[in-house]
Amino acid sequence: MKNSLKKIALTAFLFGGFIFNANAQSARDFIGAPAIIPIVSEPAPKLIVDEPLPEELAKAKVIIQYRTENLRIVSVYGQEALKISPRIGHLHITVDNLPWHWADASNEPLIIVGMAPGKHSILFELADPTHKVLQSQLVTFEIPDVKTSHKH
């Protein structure tokens, strides 16, 4: 009797697992084509940038999350990198229309601390490995003028 129950349980487990796996999405369906196989026709890259976290602006901290679609953010640059598929790139970040920017390939939220009170803007530019801008998004916000009541 004990062996029969074990066989039934094992059969049910194996059969149930087979049914589950037969209906599951494939890895390719879930994460896309392998990075070693060139994609013949890639969809256009897309940049999605959130507004700064409001609770942090009151502390003069700017924290902005972003993500991309159809482009992986990596620190690989140059003409040869244009041949990589799926597409890769990085960001150019410009604060308050300054005449310079920096390249960001961290794929982490943008964090700037200690900005002066007032209105500010940050331009996010999605760029290919040769620094050609593919898409951009401007984020504007205001750092409140919060006076501290404690004395030093």
Side-chain angles (χ1 to χ4, degrees):
M1 178 80 171
K2 209 176 202 180
N3 276 345
S4 296
L5 288 175
K6 283 182 183 177
K7 286 181 185 177
I8 291 170
L10 180 60
T11 302
F13 174 76
L14 292 175
F15 183 70
F18 174 74
I19 290 173
F20 175 75
N21 289 335
N23 293 327
Q25 278 186 317
S26 72
R28 183 184 176 119
D29 291 340
F30 188 73
I31 61 174
I36 59 171
I37 299 174
I39 299 172
V40 177
S41 179
E42 293 185 71
K46 186 174 181 182
L47 174 63
I48 298 99
V49 181
D50 292 349
E51 293 297 317
L53 298 175
E55 60 275 10
E56 298 301 318
L57 289 177
K59 303 174 200 170
K61 294 179 190 173
V62 181
I63 301 175
I64 302 174
Q65 292 182 281
Y66 66 88
R67 69 181 179 86
T68 61
E69 292 178 0
N70 308 316
L71 182 141
R72 291 178 296 140
I73 300 289
V74 294
S75 58
V76 177
Y77 306 97
Q79 193 68 33
E80 288 297 307
L82 290 173
K83 298 175 185 174
I84 297 173
S85 179
R87 183 183 296 115
I88 62 171
H90 60 279
L91 294 176
H92 293 170
I93 305 293
T94 306
V95 177
D96 290 339
N97 279 332
L98 291 170
W100 53 269
H101 66 265
W102 72 86
D104 182 277
S106 70
N107 213 19
E108 295 292 332
L110 177 70
I111 301 172
I112 301 175
V113 178
M115 293 186 84
K119 293 184 179 186
H120 296 279
S121 65
I122 299 178
L123 179 62
F124 287 74
E125 295 177 308
L126 188 59
D128 74 11
T130 65
H131 302 282
K132 176 185 171 195
V133 175
L134 305 170
Q135 188 179 28
S136 63
Q137 188 171 339
L138 183 67
V139 176
T140 58
F141 55 92
E142 187 167 351
I143 301 285
D145 190 4
V146 179
K147 304 281 188 224
T148 57
S149 60
H150 65 279
K151 295 179 183 178
H152 295 274

